């Protein structure tokens, strides 16, 4: 189509024909030129996010006693939301005089031995298949021919590793949310580590989303069949292979045939009409052993029926069929809480809210029932926030002999408030019940995590429960005792309602303020008056406090230089009246002018005591060092003497004194061939001289022999250490000149100088030396310096040709060859500001213990990395199991025990840490785990805490909490045995001010602080405090006019009003401090509002912005009249959940429309940006460096929204990335990385700022923003890893799973799953990545792109060059990933 028009050409008008498309194109160009410059904004940067789970949720869903490791291991499987954990029963010391029971009672705790977290999906249900559980036929020894329980003071012999080709007695079955059945068992490797093998089987497709297939899982008592069902529609029955058949298929080869392991033999699907309430297999009658009976309880049209599915096991699974039309149940049992199959004659128990009913003879077509009403004899044990009666939540069957279970069955029932009832059902007794009584009260809330662990017949029943919004534990139910005896405490810090990050410098305590970068994370946890608390989340290496605290008195208060723990195998004790032979630990505590001896006996009922008699040690002067030999000789070196003695034998002690000389430094080191070397440095007229010698014995006399010639030192020494490397002796001497002098010698020969290393700083003087062995030919020498640093040198005799081209800048690339020995400057770590002391960890050769700034740390290096791996530095947190509020305080001094062959006692063992806090001596057992743990410290609150902030001005945590009171004495029966009647309850919100550094002692019901519930004018019953803000309004014209106010936003529920409308208020409270330092709160103003105030924030110098109902409101305080101006208001489509202010922008997370960004223009709210996707938003955090807002929602997602520098035409904030998480993030906060994360100069530019996110279920995440090159490399690696069954045995289904190239168009692909990358590093690292790059893929897993190994390698190295520059190999990439995954918490 064309048209004719006149146009001017060269000054003349002429007529021309123009195409319509040409006209439209010209108009488009003109319109583009007229667009205002403010609407043309740059595109957002491509950015990814690295998500990592630091702390997993402690909520236990199920506890299942099972032997999925080895038949000799008495384990329990703890099932969490998306992971499983194996805990082993460990026997401790005997409990004496605490129970009133005349039998033997060992102190039992559960020790974690293995964890599996690679399911990539939530777990819906779990069961065990395999051989039937049988009682241990033993007495009080709790040992038998096929089972052993580990004790703390000795190691039970490890079961043979996988080389024995045995499938364990039990296999764990899991149904996953991703519609898969998982079969899992564990095995031991050659080093005793626990690994898991798993296979999966797909579930049928769901007919609807509400079906939730896999919610019900049942296994036949003889493991012949298995059933899986959802809430409705579908039932799948599976026939299973016998354990013998599986073993034959799997174990027939030299190595375990993993691909042959699959328990399922066949399956059949049934359609179920109605809602499935319960499902279990029943025990068949004794004369019908091949009978498989499945019972379903189904509700349809308001009626509940019992449905039976039967099958002859000898026939094919397709012969299984539904029997009859279903049997009706009585009205009272239509909604059963529990279905318990009994061990005889296909009988079962239904537990409802009002009664217990036993059903029998169901196979005859008309079941008989026996009712027992004595269920509510026990009133509620606490004033819960619920108005209903507590319900029964779980059951457990204690192990009894097979003969006992033929006609009787015993059941433990647990109620949600901790009441446990014991029921005995007898088939031959009229009424079926032998007993139904309360066995005890656990004093915790319980959900579905409840089980019994078999300890042997004739002992006692051990019950284990996971707490519901409180700690769980284990208890011994002793015969004829009225209450159970508690053992282990299972920590649970849920729910997490709020978190607050506090800087150490702001908290103002000597324990923390020395290190300004460290931050402390406090959270509102727990629920109710018993379990509510403010918990400090401490993340690091766990040390469990044991024993009692010993006060060393004034001698310790005058100053302790150092101390040593020496093992004593046998000693007659102190004094003439000492009775018997004692074993224990002898502590040498060195003061400035003398030495103190303290003996800690191993005996359970013995107390520590000071030694005053002469036992051979020099106590008149300070001790330089001390130690022991393999033969049990004790050695003490002072400034004047060298002494060696034995408290266990009659060997004559050795003692030598130096004349006109002082021993200024010394070390004692055990080396191979049971030799103990001594290096001493003496100061005399000739200067400083280094002596070498060893301790021996001859003719029952302890001897000391000098080795080689004396070495003259050129500088004054500060410390000395000796190491055995490649069958040679290496001596390391630190000097005051900031150098480390290295000597070496053949065994027995003289030491010769090799190299002098300069640390490179005026205050970098080495005070202590430790070592981590890499191999027999190399060690890492750890040097603690006075300037707060740790420098690490690698001393090796291996071929280091591949280190020639290292291009790292600075001191790290320096190496020196000393003939056949090479010294490399390996690492440099900034720990603190004061002198660093390092010592070897006796529990783990790859770890050293550091003390700096009165704090203890652990330093560990990965053994898998061939290059320089990032250091694993974790703070050591000491937790007292008996005192949740224990604060370890500032550390004065510490030492570790090394008992060698002595073994220790049940509490004290090799690795026990003895440390001083002022004059108090504590003992703790250090965890051997490399993975850091969450070590909570609790400050109890008499209520449910909801909000917490830290006031820097008051140096207090300001906590809002709710107190619920109810009457437990006015309960009435309705005449039908029903006790479930509502109870009157009242709710009151209150405030408490708590010092974050106070120590909570056992027995304190509440944290000691300044408690104050302000007397609010016309306070209304049911008012709930929703949030608190610390506000400092000031006048710009008068900087001295400044106020300190707490603003509390509240909601007043009007449940009894006709409209049920709730009101709200803003409460302005002013804090003051009296002369005694006690905080008082004074009400200043109350603003009554027509709707609840959900959140509040401060804006500018003297304005408040808050969400009232669905409105966003701003009010400004007139500093002259002290009155608020008329509010500015705008309506939103949903309520605001959280408000923050940055500069002139107001950010609002709304309940339905995600994030909205406003600005005040002409005294009105102007919407600037909003999320283009509607999300049920919870919280947000703005990152000004990247102009990215992290926004969380209730769909378990975390979105990154980019705020453009100018307003866009559509006023949208584009989505940069989306991260799918296991739980919704409810709080976000920034966290500073510790300084030792910055030592990797090569990677420092690629490590972004870290953020911490918390969830209600107790999960803590770490988030790191990534630039585009880093994201592309990590996503390429993750795409490869997700196809590797070693790292991801349960792969996710994704339509892009056949692509390796990162796709930035899909925002959920911008997430890098740090948990997957962490498993890659743990399960192979460099070797596994190399296999994925260089191995041709299976034809069944052909990829769309980069199918060949050559293509993958070319693309991989191209991405590596873009992300981290030129690389020397895969080891550099692996170490870069390790740096990115270092936890900042």
């Amino acid at each position: 189509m064309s048209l004719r028009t006149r146009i001017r050409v060269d000054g003349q008008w002429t007529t021309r024909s123009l195409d319509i498309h040409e006209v439209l194109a010209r108009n488009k160009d003109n319109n583009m030129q007229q667009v205002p410059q403010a609407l043309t904004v740059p595109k957002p940067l491509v950015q990814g996010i690295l998500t990592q789970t630091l702390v997993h949720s402690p909520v236990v869903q199920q506890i299942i006693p099972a032997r999925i490791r080895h038949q000799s291991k008495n384990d329990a499987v703890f099932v969490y939301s998306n992971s499983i954990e194996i805990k082993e029963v460990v026997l401790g010391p005997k409990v004496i005089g605490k129970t009133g029971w005349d039998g033997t009672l060992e102190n039992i705790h559960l020790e974690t031995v293995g964890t599996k977290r690679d399911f990539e999906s939530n777990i819906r249900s779990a069961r065990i298949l395999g051989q039937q559980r049988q009682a241990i036929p033993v007495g009080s020894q709790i040992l038998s021919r096929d089972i052993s329980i580990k004790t703390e003071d000795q190691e039970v012999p490890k079961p043979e590793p996988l080389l024995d080709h045995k499938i364990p007695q039990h296999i764990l079955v899991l149904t996953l949310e991703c519609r898969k059945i998982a079969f899992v068992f564990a095995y031991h490797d050659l080093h005793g580590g626990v690994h898991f093998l798993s296979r999966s089987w797909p579930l049928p497709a769901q007919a609807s989303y509400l079906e939730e297939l896999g919610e019900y899982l049942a296994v036949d008592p003889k493991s012949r069949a298995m059933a899986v069902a959802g809430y409705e529609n579908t039932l799948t029955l599976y026939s299973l292979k016998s354990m013998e058949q599986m073993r034959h298929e799997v174990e027939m080869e030299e190595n375990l045939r993993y691909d042959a392991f699959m328990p399922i033999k066949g399956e059949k699907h049934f359609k179920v009409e109605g809602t499935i309430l319960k499902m279990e297999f029943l025990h068949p009658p004794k004369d019908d052993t091949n009978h498989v009976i499945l019972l379903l309880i189904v509700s349809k049209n308001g009626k509940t029926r019992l449905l039976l599915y039967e099958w002859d096991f000898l026939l094919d699974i397709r012969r299984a069929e539904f029997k009859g039309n279903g049997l009706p149940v009585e009205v009272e049992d239509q909604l059963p809480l529990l279905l318990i199959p009994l061990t005889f004659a296909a009988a079962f128990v239904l537990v409802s809210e009002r009664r217990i009913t036993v059903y029998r003879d169901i196979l005859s077509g008309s079941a008989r029932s026996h009712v027992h009403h004595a269920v509510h004899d026990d009133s509620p044990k606490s004033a819960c926030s619920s108005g209903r009666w507590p319900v029964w939540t779980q059951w457990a069957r204690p192990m009894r002999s097979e003969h006992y279970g033929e006609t009787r069955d015993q059941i433990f029932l647990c109620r949600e408030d901790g009441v446990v009832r014991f029921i005995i059902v007898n088939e031959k007794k009229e009424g079926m019940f032998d007993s139904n009584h309360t066995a005890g009260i656990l004093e915790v809330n319980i959900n579905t995590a409840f089980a019994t662990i078999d300890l042997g017949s004739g002992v006692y029943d051990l019950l284990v429960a996971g707490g519901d919004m409180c700690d769980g534990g284990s208890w011994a139910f002793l015969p004829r005792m009225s209450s159970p005896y508690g053992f282990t405490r299972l920590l649970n810090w849920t729910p997490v309602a709020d978190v607050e990050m506090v800087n150490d410098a702001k908290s103002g305590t000597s324990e923390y303020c020395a290190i300004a970068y460290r931050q402390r994370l406090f959270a509102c946890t727990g629920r109710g008056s018993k379990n509510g608390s403010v918990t400090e989340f401490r993340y690091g290496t766990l040390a469990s406090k044991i024993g009692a605290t010993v006060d060393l008195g004034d001698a310790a208060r005058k100053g302790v230089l150092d101390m040593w723990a020496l093992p004593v195998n046998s000693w007659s004790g102190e004094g003439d009246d000492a009775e018997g032979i004692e074993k224990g630990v002898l502590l040498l505590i060195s003061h400035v002018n003398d030495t103190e001896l303290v003996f800690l006996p191993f005996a359970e009922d013995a107390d520590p005591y000071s030694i005053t008699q002469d036992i051979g040690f020099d106590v008149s002067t300070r001790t330089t060092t001390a130690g022991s030999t393999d033969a049990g000789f004790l050695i003490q070196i002072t400034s004047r003497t060298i002494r060696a003695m034995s408290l266990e034998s009659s060997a004559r002690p050795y003692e030598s004194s130096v004349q006109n000389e002082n021993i200024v430094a010394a070390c004692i080191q055990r080396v191979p061939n049971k030799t103990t070397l001594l290096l001493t440095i003496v100061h005399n007229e000739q200067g400083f001289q280094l002596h070498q010698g060893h301790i021996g014995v001859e003719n029952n006399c302890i001897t000391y022999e000098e080795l080689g010639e004396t070495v003259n030192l050129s500088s004054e020494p500060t410390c000395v250490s000796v190491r055995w490397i490649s069958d040679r002796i290496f001596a390391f001497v630190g000097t005051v000149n900031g150098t480390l002098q290295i000597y070496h010698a053949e065994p027995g020969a003289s030491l010769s100088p090799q190299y002098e290393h300069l640390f490179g700083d005026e205050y970098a003087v080495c005070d202590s030396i430790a070592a981590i062995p890499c191999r027999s030919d190399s060690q890492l020498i750890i040097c603690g310096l006075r300037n707060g640093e740790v420098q690490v040198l690698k001393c090796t005799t291996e071929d280091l040709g591949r280190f020639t081209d290292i291009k790292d800048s600075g001191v790290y690339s320096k190496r020196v060859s000393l003939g056949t020995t090479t010294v490399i400057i390996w690492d440099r770590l900034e720990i603190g500001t004061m002198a660093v002391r390092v010592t070897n960890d006796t529990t783990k050769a790859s770890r050293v213990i550091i003390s700096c700034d009165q704090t203890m740390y652990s330093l560990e290096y990965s053994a898998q990395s061939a290059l320089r791996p990032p250091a694993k530095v974790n703070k050591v947190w000491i937790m007292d199991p008996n005192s949740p509020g224990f604060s370890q305080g500032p550390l004065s001094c510490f030492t570790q025990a090394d008992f060698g062959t002595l073994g220790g006692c049940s509490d004290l063992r090799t690795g026990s840490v003895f440390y001083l806090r002022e004059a108090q001596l504590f003992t703790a057992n250090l965890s051997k785990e490399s993975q850091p743990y969450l070590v909570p410290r609790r400050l109890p609150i008499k209520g449910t805490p909801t909000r917490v902030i830290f006031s820097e001005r008051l140096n207090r945590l300001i906590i809002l909490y709710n107190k619920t009171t109810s009457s437990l004495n006015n309960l009435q029966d309705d005449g039908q045995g029903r006790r479930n009647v509502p109870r009157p309850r009242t709710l009151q919100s209150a405030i408490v001010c708590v010092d974050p550094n106070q120590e909570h002692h056992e027995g304190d019901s509440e944290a000691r602080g300044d408690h104050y519930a302000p007397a609010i004018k016309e306070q209304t019953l049911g008012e709930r405090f929703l949030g608190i803000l610390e506000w400092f309004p000031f006048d710009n014209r008068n900087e001295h006019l400044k106020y300190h106010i707490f603003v509390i936003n509240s909601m007043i529920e009007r449940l009894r009003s006709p409209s049920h409308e709730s009101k709200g208020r803003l409460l302005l409270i002013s804090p003051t401090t009296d002369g005694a330092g006690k905080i008082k709160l004074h009400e200043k103003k109350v603003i009554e509002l027509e709707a609840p105030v959900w959140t509040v924030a401060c804006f500018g110098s003297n304005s408040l912005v808050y969400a009232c109902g669905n409105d966003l409101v701003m009010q400004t305080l007139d500093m002259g009249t002290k009155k608020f101006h008329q509010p500015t208001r705008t309506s939103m489509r949903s309520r605001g959940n959280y408000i923050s202010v940055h500069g002139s922008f107001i950010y609002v997370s709304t309940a339905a429309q995600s994030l909205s960004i406003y600005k005040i223009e002409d005294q009105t709210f102007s919407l600037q940006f909003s999320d283009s996707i509607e999300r049920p938003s919870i919280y947000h955090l703005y990152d000004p460096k990247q102009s990215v807002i992290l926004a969380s929602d209730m769909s378990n997602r975390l979105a990154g929204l980019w705020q453009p520098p100018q307003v866009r035409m559509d006023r949208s904030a584009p989505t940069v990335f989306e991260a799918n998480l296991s739980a919704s993030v409810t709080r976000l906060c920034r966290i500073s990385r510790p300084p030792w994360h910055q030592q990797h100069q090569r990677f420092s530019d690629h490590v972004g700022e870290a953020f911490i996110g918390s969830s209600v279920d107790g999960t803590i995440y770490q988030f790191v923003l990534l630039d585009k090159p880093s994201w592309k490399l990590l996503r390429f690696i993750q795409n490869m890893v997700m196809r590797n069954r070693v790292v991801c045995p349960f792969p996710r289904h994704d339509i892009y799973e056949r692509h390796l190239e990162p796709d930035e168009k899909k925002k959920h692909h911008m997430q890098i799953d740090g948990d997957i990358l962490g498993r890659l590093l743990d399960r192979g690292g460099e070797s596994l990545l190399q296999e994925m790059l260089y191995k041709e893929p299976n034809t069944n897993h052909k990829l769309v792109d980069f199918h060949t190994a050559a293509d993958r390698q070319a693309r991989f190295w191209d991405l590596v060059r873009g992300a981290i520059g030129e690389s020397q190999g895969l080891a550099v990439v692996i170490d870069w990933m390790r740096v990115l995954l270092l936890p900042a918490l």
Side-chain angles (χ1 to χ4, degrees), residues 1274-1283 1299-1302:
L1274 292 174
R1275 187 69 203 193
F1276 188 85
I1277 295 174
Q1278 179 176 322
N1279 288 344
M1280 289 191 298
V1281 172
M1282 290 172 65
R1283 294 156 181 81
H1299 291 265
L1300 289 183
E1301 182 65 23

Side-chain angles (χ1 to χ4, degrees), residues 1234-1304:
W1236 53 80
H1237 282 200
Q1238 311 301 326
Q1239 81 275 12
H1240 302 277
Q1241 296 180 357
R1242 182 171 189 172
F1243 305 138
S1244 59
D1245 295 336
H1246 306 279
V1247 180
E1249 186 178 5
F1251 302 90
I1252 294 296
S1254 66
S1255 299
V1256 174
D1257 69 348
T1259 306
I1260 298 178
Y1261 302 98
Q1262 177 171 294
F1263 306 111
V1264 178
L1265 298 184
L1266 303 171
D1267 56 22
K1268 182 177 179 179
S1270 299
W1271 164 77
K1272 295 192 75 171
L1273 174 58
L1274 292 174
R1275 187 69 203 193
F1276 188 85
I1277 295 174
Q1278 179 176 322
N1279 288 344
M1280 289 191 298
V1281 172
M1282 290 172 65
R1283 294 156 181 81
N1284 188 282
R1285 296 299 179 264
V1286 175
V1287 182
C1288 298
F1290 304 92
R1292 303 169 182 171
H1293 293 287
D1294 195 314
I1295 59 176
Y1296 299 97
E1297 64 181 359
R1298 302 178 71 86
H1299 291 265
L1300 289 183
E1301 182 65 23
D1303 184 5
E1304 62 186 63

Side-chain angles (χ1 to χ4, degrees), residues 80-282:
Y80 298 87
S81 60
N82 55 10
S83 64
I84 62 172
E85 198 171 63
I86 300 178
K87 291 183 181 289
E88 182 181 6
V89 178
V90 179
L91 300 184
K94 295 180 180 179
V95 179
I96 300 175
K98 297 181 180 180
T99 64
W101 188 45
D102 54 0
T104 302
L105 180 62
E106 289 84 2
N107 197 348
I108 294 177
H109 68 269
L110 302 175
E111 184 177 287
T112 302
V113 295
T115 304
K116 183 176 178 65
R117 294 194 175 106
D118 55 7
F119 296 107
E120 307 296 340
S121 176
N122 288 335
I123 299 172
R124 284 182 169 166
S125 190
R127 289 296 176 93
I128 288 294
L129 63 85
Q131 301 173 11
Q132 286 185 286
R133 291 176 60 204
Q134 296 180 354
I136 304 174
V138 297
S140 59
Q141 293 182 350
I142 321 183
L143 295 172
S144 72
R145 60 179 179 270
D146 66 338
I147 213 157
S148 59
I149 294 183
K150 178 181 174 181
T151 59
E152 290 178 328
D153 56 342
Q154 64 181 7
E155 293 286 340
V156 173
K158 297 175 183 176
E160 295 184 21
L162 191 60
L163 300 177
D164 63 1
H165 314 305
K166 296 294 184 183
I167 293 180
Q169 183 175 349
H170 293 146
I171 297 172
L172 181 66
V173 187
L174 305 169
T175 53
L176 305 179
E177 205 171 74
C178 60
R179 299 198 309 274
K180 290 182 180 180
I181 303 175
F183 300 94
V184 182
F185 68 88
Y187 67 92
H188 286 268
D189 60 17
L190 292 172
H191 306 288
V194 175
H195 303 272
F196 293 87
L197 281 180
S198 58
R199 287 296 303 274
S200 62
W201 185 274
L203 286 170
Q206 295 184 171
S208 68
Y209 180 77
L210 299 177
E211 186 176 345
E212 296 192 12
L213 192 60
E215 191 65 30
Y216 295 111
L217 172 64
V219 176
D220 175 66
K222 296 183 179 180
S223 296
R224 301 166 298 181
M226 180 179 70
V228 177
Y231 288 122
E232 57 185 22
N233 295 330
T234 305
L235 165 67
T236 305
L237 188 62
Y238 299 89
S239 62
L240 302 178
K241 301 173 184 177
S242 65
M243 296 297 291
E244 291 75 14
Q245 181 180 354
M246 281 190 287
R247 290 192 176 107
H248 176 74
E249 294 174 350
V250 174
E251 300 162 5
M252 59 188 302
E253 300 290 338
E254 266 187 36
N255 294 318
L256 192 69
R257 293 180 56 202
Y258 169 70
D259 293 336
F261 169 62
M262 174 47 65
I264 293 179
K265 185 165 56 176
E267 63 182 276
K268 183 177 181 180
H269 305 283
F270 297 89
K271 182 174 179 57
V272 180
E273 295 183 358
T275 302
I276 301 175
L277 302 180
K278 299 291 178 183
M279 181 178 73
E280 287 287 354
F281 281 94
L282 302 181

Side-chain angles (χ1 to χ4, degrees), residues 41 168 255 357 429 495 524 586 607 653 692 704 750 790 989 1099 1224:
V41 296
N255 294 318
T357 307
K429 187 170 183 179
C524 296
L586 182 63
D607 297 325
Q692 177 191 179
Y704 171 75
S750 299
V790 168
S989 292
F1099 183 86
S1224 295

